[in-house]
Short mmCIF file of all heavy atoms in Angstrom, two decimals:
data_model
loop_
_atom_site.label_atom_id
_atom_site.label_comp_id
_atom_site.label_asym_id
_atom_site.label_seq_id
_atom_site.Cartn_x
_atom_site.Cartn_y
_atom_site.Cartn_z
N ILE B 574 -86.01 -24.05 -32.86
CA ILE B 574 -87.20 -24.60 -32.19
C ILE B 574 -88.19 -23.50 -31.83
O ILE B 574 -89.41 -23.69 -31.90
CB ILE B 574 -86.78 -25.41 -30.92
CG1 ILE B 574 -85.99 -26.64 -31.34
CG2 ILE B 574 -88.00 -25.81 -30.09
CD1 ILE B 574 -85.36 -27.42 -30.18
N ALA B 575 -87.67 -22.31 -31.49
CA ALA B 575 -88.55 -21.20 -31.09
C ALA B 575 -89.51 -20.78 -32.20
O ALA B 575 -90.55 -20.18 -31.94
CB ALA B 575 -87.70 -20.01 -30.64
N LEU B 576 -89.17 -21.12 -33.46
CA LEU B 576 -90.02 -20.73 -34.58
C LEU B 576 -91.29 -21.55 -34.66
O LEU B 576 -92.19 -21.24 -35.44
CB LEU B 576 -89.25 -20.88 -35.90
CG LEU B 576 -88.00 -20.00 -36.06
CD1 LEU B 576 -87.25 -20.37 -37.33
CD2 LEU B 576 -88.42 -18.53 -36.07
N GLU B 577 -91.37 -22.64 -33.89
CA GLU B 577 -92.50 -23.56 -34.02
C GLU B 577 -93.10 -23.89 -32.67
O GLU B 577 -92.43 -23.81 -31.66
CB GLU B 577 -92.01 -24.86 -34.66
CG GLU B 577 -91.26 -24.63 -35.96
CD GLU B 577 -90.86 -25.95 -36.59
OE1 GLU B 577 -91.63 -26.92 -36.43
OE2 GLU B 577 -89.80 -25.99 -37.21
N PRO B 578 -94.37 -24.33 -32.65
CA PRO B 578 -94.93 -24.76 -31.37
C PRO B 578 -94.20 -26.00 -30.86
O PRO B 578 -93.89 -26.90 -31.64
CB PRO B 578 -96.39 -25.10 -31.71
CG PRO B 578 -96.48 -25.17 -33.19
CD PRO B 578 -95.32 -24.41 -33.76
N HIS B 579 -93.90 -26.03 -29.56
CA HIS B 579 -93.18 -27.19 -29.00
C HIS B 579 -93.75 -27.51 -27.63
O HIS B 579 -93.92 -26.64 -26.79
CB HIS B 579 -91.68 -26.91 -28.93
CG HIS B 579 -91.34 -25.58 -28.37
ND1 HIS B 579 -91.20 -24.45 -29.15
CD2 HIS B 579 -91.11 -25.16 -27.10
CE1 HIS B 579 -90.92 -23.40 -28.39
NE2 HIS B 579 -90.86 -23.80 -27.14
N ASP B 580 -94.05 -28.79 -27.40
CA ASP B 580 -94.55 -29.23 -26.10
C ASP B 580 -93.46 -29.92 -25.28
O ASP B 580 -93.44 -29.83 -24.07
CB ASP B 580 -95.71 -30.22 -26.28
CG ASP B 580 -96.84 -29.59 -27.06
OD1 ASP B 580 -97.30 -28.51 -26.65
OD2 ASP B 580 -97.24 -30.15 -28.11
N LEU B 581 -92.61 -30.64 -25.99
CA LEU B 581 -91.60 -31.43 -25.29
C LEU B 581 -90.33 -31.47 -26.14
O LEU B 581 -90.39 -31.70 -27.35
CB LEU B 581 -92.13 -32.85 -25.07
CG LEU B 581 -91.22 -33.81 -24.32
CD1 LEU B 581 -90.98 -33.33 -22.88
CD2 LEU B 581 -91.83 -35.22 -24.30
N ILE B 582 -89.19 -31.23 -25.48
CA ILE B 582 -87.90 -31.35 -26.16
C ILE B 582 -87.09 -32.40 -25.43
O ILE B 582 -87.00 -32.37 -24.20
CB ILE B 582 -87.15 -30.01 -26.16
CG1 ILE B 582 -88.03 -28.92 -26.79
CG2 ILE B 582 -85.83 -30.12 -26.91
CD1 ILE B 582 -87.48 -27.52 -26.62
N LEU B 583 -86.53 -33.33 -26.19
CA LEU B 583 -85.69 -34.37 -25.58
C LEU B 583 -84.27 -34.23 -26.11
O LEU B 583 -84.06 -33.96 -27.30
CB LEU B 583 -86.22 -35.77 -25.92
CG LEU B 583 -87.65 -36.09 -25.51
CD1 LEU B 583 -87.98 -37.55 -25.88
CD2 LEU B 583 -87.88 -35.87 -24.02
N THR B 584 -83.30 -34.44 -25.22
CA THR B 584 -81.91 -34.54 -25.67
C THR B 584 -81.32 -35.77 -25.03
O THR B 584 -81.88 -36.34 -24.11
CB THR B 584 -81.05 -33.32 -25.26
OG1 THR B 584 -80.78 -33.40 -23.85
CG2 THR B 584 -81.72 -32.00 -25.56
N GLY B 585 -80.14 -36.16 -25.52
CA GLY B 585 -79.36 -37.19 -24.83
C GLY B 585 -78.75 -36.56 -23.59
O GLY B 585 -78.86 -35.36 -23.35
N LEU B 586 -78.09 -37.40 -22.83
CA LEU B 586 -77.50 -36.91 -21.58
C LEU B 586 -76.17 -36.24 -21.86
O LEU B 586 -75.79 -35.27 -21.20
CB LEU B 586 -77.26 -38.15 -20.70
CG LEU B 586 -77.00 -37.92 -19.25
CD1 LEU B 586 -78.12 -37.09 -18.67
CD2 LEU B 586 -76.94 -39.27 -18.56
N GLN B 587 -75.47 -36.74 -22.83
CA GLN B 587 -74.09 -36.31 -23.00
C GLN B 587 -73.62 -36.71 -24.40
O GLN B 587 -74.01 -37.75 -24.89
CB GLN B 587 -73.25 -37.05 -21.96
CG GLN B 587 -71.87 -36.52 -21.79
CD GLN B 587 -71.32 -36.87 -20.41
OE1 GLN B 587 -71.95 -36.65 -19.40
NE2 GLN B 587 -70.13 -37.42 -20.40
N SER B 588 -72.76 -35.89 -24.99
CA SER B 588 -72.23 -36.27 -26.30
C SER B 588 -70.97 -37.10 -26.13
O SER B 588 -70.17 -36.85 -25.24
CB SER B 588 -71.96 -35.03 -27.16
OG SER B 588 -71.09 -34.14 -26.49
N ASP B 589 -70.81 -38.10 -26.99
CA ASP B 589 -69.68 -39.02 -26.85
C ASP B 589 -68.35 -38.37 -27.23
O ASP B 589 -67.30 -38.87 -26.86
CB ASP B 589 -69.89 -40.26 -27.74
CG ASP B 589 -70.85 -41.26 -27.10
OD1 ASP B 589 -71.12 -41.12 -25.89
OD2 ASP B 589 -71.32 -42.16 -27.81
N ASP B 590 -68.39 -37.27 -27.99
CA ASP B 590 -67.12 -36.63 -28.37
C ASP B 590 -66.72 -35.53 -27.37
O ASP B 590 -65.71 -35.64 -26.70
CB ASP B 590 -67.17 -36.10 -29.81
CG ASP B 590 -68.38 -35.23 -30.12
OD1 ASP B 590 -69.22 -35.00 -29.23
OD2 ASP B 590 -68.48 -34.76 -31.28
N ALA B 591 -67.55 -34.49 -27.24
CA ALA B 591 -67.18 -33.38 -26.36
C ALA B 591 -67.52 -33.66 -24.90
O ALA B 591 -66.84 -33.16 -23.99
CB ALA B 591 -67.86 -32.09 -26.82
N GLY B 592 -68.56 -34.43 -24.66
CA GLY B 592 -68.90 -34.84 -23.30
C GLY B 592 -69.23 -33.70 -22.35
O GLY B 592 -68.97 -33.80 -21.16
N PHE B 593 -69.84 -32.63 -22.86
CA PHE B 593 -70.17 -31.49 -21.98
C PHE B 593 -71.27 -31.85 -20.98
O PHE B 593 -71.23 -31.43 -19.83
CB PHE B 593 -70.67 -30.31 -22.80
CG PHE B 593 -69.66 -29.69 -23.72
CD1 PHE B 593 -69.88 -29.65 -25.09
CD2 PHE B 593 -68.52 -29.11 -23.21
CE1 PHE B 593 -68.96 -29.05 -25.95
CE2 PHE B 593 -67.60 -28.51 -24.06
CZ PHE B 593 -67.82 -28.48 -25.43
N GLY B 594 -72.27 -32.57 -21.44
CA GLY B 594 -73.41 -32.88 -20.58
C GLY B 594 -74.21 -31.65 -20.19
O GLY B 594 -74.73 -31.58 -19.08
N GLN B 595 -74.29 -30.67 -21.07
CA GLN B 595 -74.97 -29.43 -20.70
C GLN B 595 -75.94 -28.88 -21.74
O GLN B 595 -76.76 -28.02 -21.42
CB GLN B 595 -74.00 -28.26 -20.52
CG GLN B 595 -72.63 -28.51 -20.13
CD GLN B 595 -71.86 -27.19 -20.05
OE1 GLN B 595 -72.34 -26.12 -20.39
NE2 GLN B 595 -70.64 -27.29 -19.60
N THR B 596 -75.81 -29.30 -22.99
CA THR B 596 -76.53 -28.60 -24.06
C THR B 596 -78.03 -28.55 -23.80
O THR B 596 -78.67 -27.52 -24.00
CB THR B 596 -76.21 -29.25 -25.42
OG1 THR B 596 -74.79 -29.25 -25.58
CG2 THR B 596 -76.86 -28.51 -26.57
N GLY B 597 -78.59 -29.66 -23.32
CA GLY B 597 -80.03 -29.69 -23.08
C GLY B 597 -80.47 -28.67 -22.04
O GLY B 597 -81.44 -27.93 -22.23
N VAL B 598 -79.74 -28.61 -20.94
CA VAL B 598 -80.12 -27.70 -19.85
C VAL B 598 -80.02 -26.24 -20.31
O VAL B 598 -80.89 -25.42 -20.01
CB VAL B 598 -79.23 -27.95 -18.60
CG1 VAL B 598 -79.55 -26.95 -17.50
CG2 VAL B 598 -79.43 -29.38 -18.10
N ILE B 599 -78.98 -25.93 -21.07
CA ILE B 599 -78.84 -24.55 -21.57
C ILE B 599 -79.96 -24.22 -22.55
O ILE B 599 -80.55 -23.14 -22.52
CB ILE B 599 -77.46 -24.34 -22.23
CG1 ILE B 599 -76.36 -24.55 -21.19
CG2 ILE B 599 -77.36 -22.95 -22.85
CD1 ILE B 599 -74.96 -24.42 -21.73
N LEU B 600 -80.29 -25.20 -23.41
CA LEU B 600 -81.38 -25.01 -24.37
C LEU B 600 -82.68 -24.68 -23.63
O LEU B 600 -83.41 -23.77 -24.01
CB LEU B 600 -81.51 -26.29 -25.21
CG LEU B 600 -82.66 -26.39 -26.19
CD1 LEU B 600 -82.64 -25.24 -27.19
CD2 LEU B 600 -82.58 -27.73 -26.94
N ALA B 601 -82.95 -25.41 -22.55
CA ALA B 601 -84.16 -25.14 -21.76
C ALA B 601 -84.12 -23.71 -21.22
O ALA B 601 -85.12 -22.97 -21.30
CB ALA B 601 -84.27 -26.13 -20.60
#
Side-chain angles (χ1 to χ4, degrees):
Chain B
I574 293 172
L576 297 174
E577 307 183 33
H579 46 270
D580 301 306
L581 182 63
I582 304 170
L583 302 182
T584 74
L586 195 55
Q587 193 156 310
S588 55
D589 281 346
D590 51 0
F593 294 119
Q595 333 179 354
T596 304
V598 176
I599 297 178
L600 174 57

